[in-house]
């Protein structure tokens, strides 16, 4: 990554030079719970960027076409559509509330003019269709322009309605509702490369759905023990392979990943591959299992690798090697000496996500104090950047941040004890082809672009 | 381990000290155990998982409440645990335990 900001990058360099582009959301200090962003996802072309929040709402941004008349907009993202995806519900049997918080959004590949996405809360997955309407028919025979029915006896001539242009209207409508298939809380959804099926995973089970069929779903993984006292691990994330429609992986709270092949049996309780890094038994502590819990798993675009995020690190695994990861990147190792307080304030259970860039050469994940980390797999360099309003002048370069662990704090460094653990960046997304990233900082969405872009 | 008296004891102590010095994680564990001596022996085990599986705000159920009141005419109802998010077996939520109802839904500020 580039070092201190400012100064041009030599042509042909692989270093990123991240600059502020936009920030969305309210500025006020008092953050309403409903406004907390809970998921961020670019679509396959990168032209659309969707966010979901704790209030069950989805906001979709669209990239503006760069035009000569507005050279400074440089492909900015503006609101395209917003809708209420999920509402709070009540489970009367258990007297429990079902949160409307959107846990995940996944786009479907585009097949026609409309856009489709899946959004899910803890219990119900919905398929939403987002379509544009820019024409309106005028000159109906049986009704007036304002919609009132005309008296049929008054009609003396017939006319053919004509299509007239109108202001663009973007409509979102729920096309399918996939409900009642999960006893536990849904943590992941993943669209298959066959574009016909998708999986949904909760703490103990994974189900396979067909996008057209809502009243039936196949259970493909079930790790619920006969006796709940014997429960030792839960499913934390699951994803389909990007090219092989029969392969998916799921991660666990014990830091392991299982790869399953749906061709081998209908119920994939027995894995095809089991990925686990050997642990040094002498270094085991009370915290070991908790911090090894995997909060996110993502295949590389190539399908050759997968990346897992646990509390302190990001690991890259080669699918051909189960014994250990091929890369381990420390996100915030300085927190290891703070685990006691992080356990007391529950931060140790925070679930960070991670993402690849389009070419799989870089990976990104969030941290605390509104910091996020980027690792370049080729140059082996990493950088810490911050999403803050103070650094939000248009096209301002982001300055690398540094956390000081020892005694002497240099100027511009921040000490571990000064970090704000309420400012967590759990959700980030990278444009599938360009160097544009979206970073969710509580209730604000930041968009950064690479200067060379 | 042979009982060799003071020499063996000091070797163990030294190893413990070394552990504390070399492993910040073990030092943190010691801190935690000092603050919560009754913390379960099974780290990250069933307790965490069960708490995780039960996530969700339990609400007042008038059926449960009235049944409980009828059964225990003269006794006190079990009071809310200090940590209200725990769903403990005998706890019947009372109207006083309930959090504020959610405000009505408005458009996201991201779209503003």
């Amino acid at each position: 990554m580039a070092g201190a900001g400012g100064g041009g990058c030599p042509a042909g360099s692989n270093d990123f030079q991240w600059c502020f582009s936009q920030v969305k959301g309210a500025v006020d200090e008092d953050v309403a719970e409903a406004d907390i962003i809970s998921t961020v996802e670019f679509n396959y072309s990168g032209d659309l960027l969707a966010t979901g929040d704790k209030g069950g709402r989805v906001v979709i941004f669209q990239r503006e076409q760069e035009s000569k008349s507005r050279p400074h907009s440089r492909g900015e993202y503006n609101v395209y559509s917003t809708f209420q995806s999920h509402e709070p519900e009540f489970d009367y049997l258990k007297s429990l509330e079902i949160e409307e918080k959107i846990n995940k959004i996944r786009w479907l590949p585009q097949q026609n003019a409309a856009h489709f996405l899946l959004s899910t809360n803890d219990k119900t997955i919905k398929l939403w269709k987002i379509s544009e309407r820019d024409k309106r028919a005028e000159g109906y025979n049986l009704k007036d322009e304002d919609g009132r029915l005309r008296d049929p006896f008054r009609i003396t001539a017939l006319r053919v309605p004509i299509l007239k242009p109108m202001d663009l209207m973007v409509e979102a409508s729920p096309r399918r509702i996939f409900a009642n298939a999960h006893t536990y809380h849904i943590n992941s959804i993943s669209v298959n490369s066959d574009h016909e099926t998708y999986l949904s995973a909760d703490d103990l089970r994974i189900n396979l759905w067909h996008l057209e069929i809502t009243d039936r779903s196949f259970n493909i993984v079930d790790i619920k023990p006969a006796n709940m006292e014997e429960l030792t691990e839960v499913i934390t994330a699951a994803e389909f392979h990007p090219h092989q429609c029969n392969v998916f992986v799921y991660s666990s709270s014990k830091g392991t990943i299982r790869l399953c092949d749906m061709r081998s049996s209908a119920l994939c309780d027995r894995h095809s591959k089991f990925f686990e890094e050997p642990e040094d038994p002498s270094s085991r502590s009370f915290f070991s299992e908790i911090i090894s819990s995997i909060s996110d798993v993502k295949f590389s675009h190539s399908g050759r690798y997968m990346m897992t995020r646990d509390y302190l690190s990001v690991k890259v695994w080669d699918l051909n090697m189960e014994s250990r990861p091929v890369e381990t990147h420390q996100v915030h190792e300085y927190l290891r000496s703070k685990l006691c307080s992080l356990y007391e304030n529950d931060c140790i259970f925070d679930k960070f996500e991670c993402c690849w860039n389009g070419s799989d050469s870089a990976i990104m994940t969030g941290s605390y104090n509104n910091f996020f980390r980027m690792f370049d797999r080729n140059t082996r360099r990493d950088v810490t950047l911050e999403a803050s309003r103070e650094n939000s002048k248009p096209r301002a370069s982001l300055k690398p941040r540094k956390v000081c662990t020892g005694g002497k704090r240099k100027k511009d460094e921040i000490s571990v004890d000064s970090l704000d653990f309420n400012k967590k960046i759990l959700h980030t997304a990278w444009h599938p082809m360009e160097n544009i990233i979206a970073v969710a900082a509580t209730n604000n969405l930041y968009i950064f672009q690479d200067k060379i872009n | 381990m042979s009982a060799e008296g003071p020499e063996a004891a000091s070797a163990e102590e030294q190893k413990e000290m070394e552990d504390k010095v070399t492993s910040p994680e073990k030092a943190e564990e010691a801190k935690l155990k000092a603050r919560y001596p009754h913390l379960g022996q099974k780290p990250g085990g069933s307790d965490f998982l069960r708490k995780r599986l039960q996530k969700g705000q339990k609400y007042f159920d008038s059926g449960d409440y009235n049944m409980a009141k009828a059964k225990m005419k003269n006794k006190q109802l079990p009071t809310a645990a200090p940590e209200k998010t725990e769903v403990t077996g005998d706890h019947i939520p009372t109207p006083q335990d309930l959090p504020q109802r959610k405000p009505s839904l408005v458009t996201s500020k991201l779209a503003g």
Side-chain angles (χ1 to χ4, degrees), chain A residues 10-297:
Chain A
S13 160
N14 277 332
D15 284 349
F16 298 117
Q17 181 92 306
W18 292 103
C19 305
F20 172 85
S21 175
Q22 296 168 273
V23 61
K24 310 276 184 192
V27 195
D28 30 86
E29 283 298 309
D30 269 336
V31 180
E33 179 100 1
D35 291 330
I36 296 173
I37 300 169
S38 50
T39 184
V40 186
E41 188 84 354
F42 280 100
N43 73 337
Y44 283 77
S45 65
D47 278 344
L48 297 179
L49 175 61
T51 61
D53 65 22
K54 274 197 169 181
R57 300 163 299 193
V58 171
V59 182
I60 301 175
F61 301 92
Q62 184 187 45
R63 195 170 182 201
E64 297 297 336
Q65 294 300 319
E66 292 190 39
S67 69
K68 293 214 175 88
S69 60
R70 295 185 61 220
H72 290 304
S73 67
R74 269 186 91 229
E76 273 186 357
Y77 285 84
N78 295 320
V79 180
Y80 179 65
S81 170
T82 177
F83 54 93
Q84 187 77 36
S85 172
H86 288 70
E87 308 233 353
E89 282 176 56
F90 199 73
D91 180 337
Y92 293 97
L93 214 53
K94 298 179 190 164
S95 294
L96 284 175
E97 182 186 46
I98 299 169
E99 268 193 300
E100 67 274 34
K101 164 167 139 326
I102 309 293
N103 292 335
K104 284 284 178 335
I105 287 174
R106 289 288 182 263
W107 290 93
L108 266 55
Q110 192 174 9
Q111 286 171 327
N112 52 40
H115 298 279
F116 288 86
L117 60 79
L118 287 170
S119 74
T120 186
N121 70 348
D122 282 339
K123 296 286 184 182
T124 305
I125 306 131
K126 295 187 184 181
L127 176 70
W128 285 89
K129 176 181 181 182
I130 298 107
S131 46
E132 292 183 4
R133 196 202 287 250
D134 61 356
K135 289 187 257 298
R136 180 184 55 218
E138 270 180 22
Y140 285 102
N141 289 290
L142 295 177
K143 55 182 182 178
D144 283 340
E145 293 314 318
D146 48 9
R148 271 184 311 186
L149 291 174
R150 290 169 80 193
D151 184 356
F153 294 108
R154 297 263 172 87
I155 299 169
T156 51
L158 280 179
R159 55 189 179 175
V160 179
I162 46 174
L163 292 175
K164 286 245 175 91
M166 62 179 249
D167 285 340
L168 180 67
M169 209 168 73
V170 182
E171 302 171 316
S173 60
R175 305 301 289 179
R176 305 269 186 277
I177 297 183
F178 305 92
N180 302 320
H182 286 278
T183 308
Y184 302 97
H185 302 293
I186 298 173
N187 52 57
S188 314
I189 46 174
S190 177
V191 183
N192 203 349
S193 53
D194 65 8
H195 302 169
E196 284 189 351
T197 58
Y198 75 94
L199 62 75
S200 58
D202 67 30
D203 291 317
L204 297 177
R205 298 190 177 104
I206 303 179
N207 293 332
L208 179 72
W209 301 84
H210 191 285
L211 285 164
E212 299 289 326
I213 299 168
T214 58
D215 64 355
R216 228 172 316 168
S217 144
F218 288 102
N219 176 244
I220 51 178
V221 172
D222 188 338
I223 65 167
K224 186 178 179 194
N227 179 2
M228 284 299 269
E229 301 281 320
E230 290 161 23
L231 183 67
T232 54
E233 61 181 335
V234 294
I235 297 169
T236 52
E239 197 181 47
F240 264 121
H241 190 278
H243 314 306
Q244 295 169 33
C245 57
N246 52 296
V247 171
F248 66 93
V249 292
Y250 68 93
S251 58
S252 86
S253 52
K254 277 183 147 175
T256 63
I257 310 100
R258 288 169 176 82
L259 183 144
C260 300
D261 185 336
M262 294 195 291
R263 295 172 303 188
S264 58
S265 66
L267 190 58
C268 296
D269 280 359
R270 280 174 52 208
H271 52 263
S272 298
K273 292 196 182 181
F274 182 71
F275 297 82
E276 184 178 35
E277 179 161 31
E279 188 201 10
D280 176 11
S282 67
S283 68
R284 190 165 177 83
S285 77
F286 174 83
F287 303 110
S288 300
E289 195 175 300
I290 303 172
I291 61 173
S292 73
S293 175
I294 292 172
S295 48
D296 194 15
V297 65

Side-chain angles (χ1 to χ4, degrees), chain A residues 271-397:
Chain A
H271 52 263
S272 298
K273 292 196 182 181
F274 182 71
F275 297 82
E276 184 178 35
E277 179 161 31
E279 188 201 10
D280 176 11
S282 67
S283 68
R284 190 165 177 83
S285 77
F286 174 83
F287 303 110
S288 300
E289 195 175 300
I290 303 172
I291 61 173
S292 73
S293 175
I294 292 172
S295 48
D296 194 15
V297 65
K298 292 261 170 52
F299 277 105
S300 64
H301 292 91
S302 65
R304 164 100 191 259
Y305 299 96
M306 67 178 173
M307 162 167 61
T308 56
R309 174 70 154 99
D310 52 70
Y311 191 61
L312 298 178
S313 69
V314 180
K315 296 178 178 168
V316 177
W317 303 77
D318 184 328
L319 293 188
N320 297 317
M321 187 165 80
E322 300 163 59
S323 52
R324 62 180 184 281
V326 289
E327 291 166 31
T328 300
H329 302 278
Q330 301 302 338
V331 181
H332 37 218
E333 178 68 14
Y334 47 78
L335 294 184
R336 202 179 285 271
S337 53
K338 301 285 168 197
L339 292 177
C340 182
S341 14
L342 292 168
Y343 175 86
E344 287 178 306
N345 61 19
D346 272 355
C347 283
I348 205 174
F349 300 105
D350 284 337
K351 297 184 180 64
F352 292 93
E353 291 173 8
C354 53
C355 60
W356 299 85
N357 71 341
S359 60
D360 299 334
S361 65
I363 57 188
M364 167 168 66
T365 189
S367 177
Y368 293 105
N369 208 70
N370 278 353
F371 286 172
F372 56 101
R373 302 267 287 139
M374 257 189 221
F375 305 92
D376 186 321
R377 299 176 65 218
N378 297 330
T379 64
R380 304 243 166 255
R381 283 207 282 258
D382 61 84
V383 71
T384 304
L385 300 169
E386 182 180 3
S388 89
R389 293 249 174 197
E390 280 157 21
N391 218 23
S392 52
K393 279 213 286 278
R395 294 182 299 286
S397 279

